[in-house]
Amino acid sequence: MSAADWSQVQIARAALSRLFEPSDNIGMALVAAAGPEEALGIATGRTRCGPTLHRAFLEVLADTGHQVRTDVLTGAVARWGSRKDSLVPLRDLETVKRFGGTLLTPESEAWPAALTDLQLGMPLCLWVRGESPTTIPPLERVVAIVGSRDSTSYGSSVTAEMAAGLVNRGYTVVSGGAYGIDAQAHRSALMTAREDHPLPTLGVLACGIDRYYPAGNEELLREIARRGLLVSEVPPGSAPSRWRFLQRNRLIAALSAVTVVAEARWRSGALNTAHHAAGLGRAVGAVPGSIQSANSAGCHRLLRDGSAICVTDAAEIAELAGPLALVSGPERPAVKAVHDGLTVEDLLLLDALPVRASSTVDKLASVAGLSLPGVLSGLGRLEADKLAERSDDGGWRKTRH
Amino acid sequence: MSAADWSQVQIARAALSRLFEPSDNIGMALVAAAGPEEALGIATGRTRCGPTLHRAFLEVLADTGHQVRTDVLTGAVARWGSRKDSLVPLRDLETVKRFGGTLLTPESEAWPAALTDLQLGMPLCLWVRGESPTTIPPLERVVAIVGSRDSTSYGSSVTAEMAAGLVNRGYTVVSGGAYGIDAQAHRSALMTAREDHPLPTLGVLACGIDRYYPAGNEELLREIARRGLLVSEVPPGSAPSRWRFLQRNRLIAALSAVTVVAEARWRSGALNTAHHAAGLGRAVGAVPGSIQSANSAGCHRLLRDGSAICVTDAAEIAELAGPLALVSGPERPAVKAVHDGLTVEDLLLLDALPVRASSTVDKLASVAGLSLPGVLSGLGRLEADKLAERSDDGGWRKTRH
């Protein structure tokens, strides 16, 4: 282990990421007021928080809408104290390095600008694991596909198709590495990506990036680390917990221009991700499904309450991601009907024309409710459009196509 | 045939409804300016349109946003003239009477007020057929269910379920009497309705109410006439035409508080009905389905462009119909999770509690990232909620449920 490979701010943030749970607003306000190194000293009880700094700390909380007691820091330091003996930031940093990864901090140029939208909830750092050196693409090139663990074959197949379509358009597909929809999204992105794709998929984990959770996805997670990226805000070795899952969802939402819920039950963690995305002003898409499938009830809930836009293919998702998307994607086949562009009068006349036999101009006028001159000029237009033709007996009929 | 059974205005409107195609704006403006009886005289060339009346007629057109040439009436009279020899209003009125029906006109108290929203497009009259004397219910008790003729088993089954749910709530289900979704909506409404239902279903036809179109629905149409109502703005004997279908759709939309598209292709007449409804400020619902089914593409199109709201059951449709709906309908089962209502701290603590074995307070503080007093008070709350329990060895664990 060598401290020389890492900056002081990286080491401090690595330690703080073990001390604070994700979105610990008290801790984040302390870092905002004091900077990571001094915040670490105060959080671990090594340094006293002077009155000027304490005022600044309370101001950060007030400015971000948190109403707290003035002695909130004392309680927080006691809370953090229970973990201070387990702090081994350099060992954590070496662990991630061994996996070919690194620690991204807001001080780094590679820090995803999109995360600043989380304000006080911006993570302290991102533990990143990936074998090929790469960076997280800018917001407008990233789409999240999330959904239920217990996906149906319908959910899996729409997820696979959409992820493939997005990767073919050059997008990075983000998901949470879980069973079901998440796994399908990662898998399809990896299967589809050509060698030159900047980053087919990104897994945002609720546990340390050295852990294979869930165990059944070990092979997939290894492959994401090899050809994509795994990221987490909690340090190596950390176990996933319900709180960390919920907070992890805000990172998925913040990193992605669009969050698509492919399949979700009425009550599903994927809806939490969707609400994070909506709260950040990001686009949210929901894939409709059978109303008889409980596995799509969450998607329909989002559509009904207006939180999400209905998306049925990768092109529609790309459209939500922004103008960049408009360069590619197949056009929906426009089925043109024969009567497109006809005037009301010509449409009435077309309706009145028999398919077999034929009709006289007088009879057409009566059936269509048009004047004789109206019928004559209309027949001329319909004949020119190859919609009407003269029959051998001098009458008129519809042209068969 | 007896003229004594009918008012002069009924006879005039009956004749005009054969002379004018639906939504003939020139004809409707003439009726608005001159009244039905004088309009009939002018339209058939029996009466001259004086200059004062002619100015009023042109003003109606200008006021309703129609830009026309000042000699528009001359051309229209020539057009109408082609049909004037076929006018037999009394015979038409006797025909509908023979079927147990009548002719509703705007002058009648039973005229559906909802139709006035169509302004100049309000029909001249409604030819009504029904064996039991009944009236068309007010807007807020009427819901339209429309969709494709070539429905799938999915479309049929959701239509059947929704129509039944609406009729059970006392609504009248309106549709167009066509194959597929329309037929299923009518059929399910008739099957579900109890004897005392005011009007289970209403069919709005594009042809005369004496015709069974399409032929395969003859039995169904007879049953609608027996236990519900058939209505049309075109007189008995009239054939359906594309124009009449399109115009018929505006009547379905205008009569209904909500228009639900149960299943529709990307290009479907049902979308035309939906757009009429939206244009009238009526609620539009669309039933989602598989994105792999071309038969739901039209519904998804409406959802995506914001023209329709996602509806998945009769309760949601009733909600769109207005406050009356809120009195009945089953509640969606609310699945309450164990962690509902817990604070962040208690949630962290709950996550840290082992299910088997047990944990000490010190260890819980470290794992959960909480202070010792925080853990102790949290354990008290979780124990009270039966979420945590003491084990025999003095430690703590999750309560199994």
Side-chain angles (χ1 to χ4, degrees), chain B residues 348-355 364 379 382 387-388 396-398:
Chain B
L348 289 169
L349 183 58
L350 182 65
D351 279 345
L353 280 169
V355 180
L364 286 172
L379 284 171
L382 292 180
L387 294 169
W396 288 84
R397 66 179 168 213
K398 258 193 200 109

Side-chain angles (χ1 to χ4, degrees), chain B residues 349-375:
Chain B
L349 183 58
L350 182 65
D351 279 345
L353 280 169
V355 180
R356 294 187 199 113
S358 73
S359 186
T360 64
V361 172
D362 281 350
K363 201 171 158 213
L364 286 172
S366 171
V367 171
L370 297 170
S371 65
L372 286 183
V375 169

Side-chain angles (χ1 to χ4, degrees), chain A residues 83 157 267 292 335 366-367, chain B residues 83 157 267 292 340 366-367:
Chain A
R83 277 184 183 167
S157 98
R267 200 184 177 104
Q292 292 158 345
V335 185
S366 172
V367 172
Chain B
R83 279 184 182 168
S157 100
R267 198 182 180 108
Q292 292 157 346
D340 276 4
S366 171
V367 171

Side-chain angles (χ1 to χ4, degrees), chain A residues 15-46:
Chain A
L16 288 168
S17 78
R18 187 171 294 281
L19 215 54
F20 301 164
E21 279 296 318
S23 297
D24 180 331
N25 292 318
I26 311 300
M28 297 312 298
L30 185 62
V31 173
E37 293 166 69
E38 193 173 355
L40 180 62
I42 296 167
T44 52
R46 275 189 288 113

Side-chain angles (χ1 to χ4, degrees), chain B residues 148-172:
Chain B
S148 299
R149 286 171 178 74
D150 63 334
S151 55
T152 65
S153 62
Y154 172 72
S156 299
S157 100
V158 306
T159 299
E161 207 172 304
M162 289 178 171
L166 289 166
V167 165
N168 276 333
R169 285 171 172 79
Y171 289 93
T172 297

Side-chain angles (χ1 to χ4, degrees), chain A residues 19 21 75 78-80 82-83 86 153-154 157-158 161-162 241-244 246 266-267 287-292 297 299-301 303-304 309-313 315-317 319-320 332-340 344-345 347-348 350-351 362 365-373 398, chain B residues 19 21 75 78-80 82-83 86 153-154 157-158 161-162 241-244 246 266-267 287-292 297 299-301 303-304 309-313 315-317 319-320 332-340 344-345 347-348 350-351 362 365-373 398:
Chain A
L19 215 54
E21 279 296 318
R79 188 151 56 79
W80 298 325
S82 66
R83 277 184 183 167
S86 59
S153 63
Y154 173 71
S157 98
V158 305
E161 206 172 306
M162 287 177 171
S241 67
R242 205 176 284 137
W243 176 255
R244 289 171 184 167
L246 290 173
W266 182 255
R267 200 184 177 104
V287 181
S290 166
I291 63 168
Q292 292 158 345
C299 293
H300 298 152
R301 182 182 186 177
L303 290 174
R304 182 164 165 77
I309 289 169
C310 178
V311 289
T312 64
D313 58 26
E316 291 180 350
I317 297 169
E319 208 177 296
L320 291 182
R332 186 178 291 273
V335 185
K336 201 168 146 54
V338 288
H339 57 273
D340 277 2
V344 170
E345 284 73 20
L347 188 57
L348 290 169
L350 182 64
D351 279 345
D362 279 350
S366 172
V367 172
L370 297 170
S371 64
L372 286 182
K398 261 194 198 109
Chain B
L19 216 53
E21 279 298 316
R79 189 150 55 80
W80 299 325
S82 65
R83 279 184 182 168
S86 60
S153 62
Y154 172 72
S157 100
V158 306
E161 207 172 304
M162 289 178 171
S241 67
R242 203 175 285 137
W243 176 255
R244 289 171 183 167
L246 291 173
W266 182 256
R267 198 182 180 108
V287 181
S290 166
I291 62 168
Q292 292 157 346
C299 293
H300 298 152
R301 182 181 184 177
L303 290 174
R304 182 163 167 77
I309 289 168
C310 179
V311 290
T312 64
D313 58 26
E316 291 180 350
I317 297 169
E319 209 176 294
L320 291 182
R332 186 178 291 273
V335 185
K336 201 167 145 53
V338 287
H339 57 271
D340 276 4
V344 170
E345 285 74 19
L347 187 58
L348 289 169
L350 182 65
D351 279 345
D362 281 350
S366 171
V367 171
L370 297 170
S371 65
L372 286 183
K398 258 193 200 109

Side-chain angles (χ1 to χ4, degrees), chain B residues 91-104:
Chain B
R91 199 180 68 195
D92 292 337
L93 288 164
E94 290 305 310
T95 299
V96 72
K97 197 175 168 191
R98 207 167 54 240
F99 283 118
T102 189
L103 184 80
L104 287 184

